[in-house]
């Protein structure tokens, strides 16, 4: 796992691995906040938590791990994400909850699977932040249940995968592509609720722009369908 050293000063300055960072208010608390923000940016770039060894002006040393959202994280969670930045593996503490969702879905108990997936999605988003890899995986699972269960709604599944794709893109994660392709496939099958289809299609176009020129034909095709659907919408 990456480790950075932070030195703090009373006048609002800090040095993160030798790079000076200044706080606008010129205080020690401001220096801490500015340094934390800088370290969080490094964590995003490196797609995983970083260990920090920070030294106060009085010489006191603090050791902590900073996650991609800027929050201090448990050492065990930090090491887990450093080894698995895209949360491909289910953490041990979540195995039972994820398995219960899968079992309910396999048993054709869609309403139960949807409720369990929705709760897991909400809990991890609240616990870790909406762009934490574990929270994004939970959102994809929620989308999968909506797409698979008889009681699910394809339009909701598409929206959830779009949210996940947006989160992965902000983390510069290759998992962005998989979530986006699932959203795209679901969107192409939507037939009801033209207003919602247009709304989701506009989000798809915005996300496809991130893929550059290779995504232009797909984005253009989506835009043509959006334009056609707009003609069916009631005029204000």
């Amino acid at each position: 796992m990456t480790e950075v050293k932070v030195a703090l000063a009373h006048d609002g300055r800090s040095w993160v691995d030798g790079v000076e960072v200044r706080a606008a208010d010129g205080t020690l608390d401001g220096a801490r906040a500015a340094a934390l923000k800088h370290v969080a940016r490094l964590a995003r770039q490196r797609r995983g938590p970083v260990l920090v060894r920070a030294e106060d002006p009085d010489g006191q040393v603090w050791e902590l791990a900073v996650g991609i959202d800027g929050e201090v994280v448990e050492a065990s969670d930090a090491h887990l994400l450093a080894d698995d930045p895209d949360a491909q593996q289910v953490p041990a503490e979540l195995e039972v909850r994820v398995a219960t969702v899968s079992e309910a879905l396999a048993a054709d108990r869609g309403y139960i699977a949807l409720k369990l997936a929705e709760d897991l999605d909400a809990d991890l988003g609240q616990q870790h932040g909406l762009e934490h890899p574990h929270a994004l995986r939970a959102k994809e699972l929620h989308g999968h249940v909506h797409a698979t269960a008889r009681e699910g709604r394809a339009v909701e599944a598409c929206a959830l995968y779009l949210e996940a794709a947006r989160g992965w893109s902000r983390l510069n994660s290759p998992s962005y592509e998989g979530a986006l392709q699932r959203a795209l496939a679901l969107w192409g099958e939507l037939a009801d609720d033209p207003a919602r289809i247009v709304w989701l299609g506009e989000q798809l176009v915005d996300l496809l722009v991130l893929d550059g020129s290779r995504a232009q034909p797909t984005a253009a095709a989506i835009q043509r369908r959006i334009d056609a659907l707009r003609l069916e919408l009631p005029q204000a």
Side-chain angles (χ1 to χ4, degrees), residues 60-92:
Q60 185 172 5
V61 174
W62 304 84
E63 294 185 347
L64 61 152
V66 176
I68 52 180
D69 53 5
E71 294 185 359
V72 175
V73 298
E74 295 291 338
S76 58
D77 191 33
H79 282 288
L80 178 64
L81 284 176
D83 295 335
D84 184 19
D86 295 320
Q88 298 283 359
Q89 304 298 319
V90 178

Side-chain angles (χ1 to χ4, degrees), residues 184-214:
L184 180 60
L186 286 160
W187 187 82
E189 297 174 358
L190 298 179
D192 300 325
D193 196 350
R196 194 89 186 273
I197 297 172
V198 167
W199 176 66
L200 293 171
E202 290 171 342
Q203 294 181 58
L204 269 172
V205 171
D206 289 343
L207 283 169
L208 281 165
V209 168
L210 301 176
D211 268 351
S213 59
R214 72 188 183 95

Side-chain angles (χ1 to χ4, degrees), residues 40-218:
R41 187 160 52 247
L42 293 177
R44 277 184 182 277
Q45 292 172 352
R46 299 169 189 182
R47 298 182 47 244
V50 297
L51 294 177
V52 178
R53 182 180 174 85
E55 184 174 351
D56 277 347
D58 61 4
Q60 185 172 5
V61 174
W62 304 84
E63 294 185 347
L64 61 152
V66 176
I68 52 180
D69 53 5
E71 294 185 359
V72 175
V73 298
E74 295 291 338
S76 58
D77 191 33
H79 282 288
L80 178 64
L81 284 176
D83 295 335
D84 184 19
D86 295 320
Q88 298 283 359
Q89 304 298 319
V90 178
E93 65 271 19
L94 297 177
E95 285 179 351
V96 172
R97 295 186 70 178
V98 172
T100 303
V101 174
S102 300
E103 289 166 3
L105 190 59
D108 200 21
R109 299 161 67 194
Y111 283 122
I112 294 177
L114 283 167
K115 176 59 176 170
L116 292 171
E118 181 182 8
D119 289 347
L120 183 61
D121 183 359
D123 288 349
L124 292 187
Q126 184 175 20
Q127 179 181 349
H128 297 297
L130 297 178
E131 293 182 5
H132 190 282
H134 293 159
L136 294 174
R137 288 298 177 201
K139 192 164 297 295
E140 289 189 355
L141 177 61
H142 191 185
H144 171 70
V145 175
H146 262 293
T148 308
R150 288 186 297 108
E151 298 85 352
R153 298 184 62 211
V155 68
E156 298 296 340
C158 181
L160 287 162
Y161 275 118
L162 279 170
E163 286 185 52
R166 193 176 299 109
W168 289 123
S169 72
R170 289 171 180 156
L171 298 180
N172 297 316
S173 168
S175 294
Y176 152 81
E177 186 71 27
L180 181 63
Q181 289 304 316
R182 292 183 183 94
L184 180 60
L186 286 160
W187 187 82
E189 297 174 358
L190 298 179
D192 300 325
D193 196 350
R196 194 89 186 273
I197 297 172
V198 167
W199 176 66
L200 293 171
E202 290 171 342
Q203 294 181 58
L204 269 172
V205 171
D206 289 343
L207 283 169
L208 281 165
V209 168
L210 301 176
D211 268 351
S213 59
R214 72 188 183 95
Q216 287 181 359
T218 303

